[in-house]
Amino acid sequence: MSEQTSADRVADLEAQIAELKAAQGPTAKAQPAQSLRAVATATDPDKPKFVHCKGERFRLPELRDVDIDVLEAFEQGKVVGTVKGILGEQAIVRIRALHGGTLRVTDLEPIMEQVAKAYGFTSAGESAASSG
């Protein structure tokens, strides 16, 4: 169990480092009035985005490639629909295994917040599309 705890800590630190680097970069964070297209072009399209869970990382698709139903779930703060839709079934199977076979919404909430930050939103439920 201590291995999982240290792996979680490493993943958290990696996420914090990525956030700090992003804050220092020249690209501005998305403001609520911006469109999803503006957010997609404001982030570096050549740089892959990842979320971390229990020491493993999962690659996020480009925002422009995310299905509209998944974006709507994101806007509404629907954790399960968003994480499943963005990461896909294979990742969910792996995340479930990392949690001992039982996956709860509380296990997915940190991933949802990482998704929001990776795409340039301050938090889930506050995407640019919901205000425009």
Side-chain angles (χ1 to χ4, degrees):
M1 183 131 195
S2 65
E3 286 182 27
Q4 290 178 344
T5 303
S6 63
D8 282 339
R9 183 71 182 136
V10 168
D12 289 341
L13 290 172
E14 286 177 346
Q16 289 174 359
I17 290 169
E19 288 174 31
L20 290 171
K21 286 181 179 179
Q24 293 174 350
T27 48
K29 288 199 174 225
Q31 298 300 315
Q34 288 183 310
S35 69
L36 288 175
R37 185 176 198 170
V39 172
T41 57
T43 57
D44 185 353
D46 296 329
K47 235 181 189 179
K49 294 167 186 52
F50 296 94
V51 293
H52 297 86
C53 178
K54 296 202 172 270
E56 291 195 27
R57 65 184 194 166
F58 299 87
R59 189 175 183 158
L60 296 174
E62 291 296 321
L63 186 59
R64 67 178 173 266
D65 297 332
V66 176
D67 184 89
I68 192 166
D69 292 333
V70 175
L71 293 175
E72 185 175 56
F74 177 81
E75 289 177 345
Q76 295 170 354
K78 295 180 179 177
V79 175
V80 176
T82 300
V83 175
K84 275 185 158 184
I86 287 180
L87 294 181
E89 271 309 309
Q90 288 182 342
I92 293 300
V93 168
R94 182 65 193 135
I95 291 168
R96 181 183 301 274
L98 290 170
H99 286 89
T102 303
L103 194 56
R104 296 176 181 83
V105 172
T106 55
D107 299 325
L108 297 178
E109 287 171 341
I111 296 171
M112 178 84 157
E113 287 302 316
Q114 290 180 62
V115 167
K117 289 178 183 176
Y119 287 136
F121 303 118
T122 55
S123 66
E126 296 180 9
S127 75
S130 64
S131 61

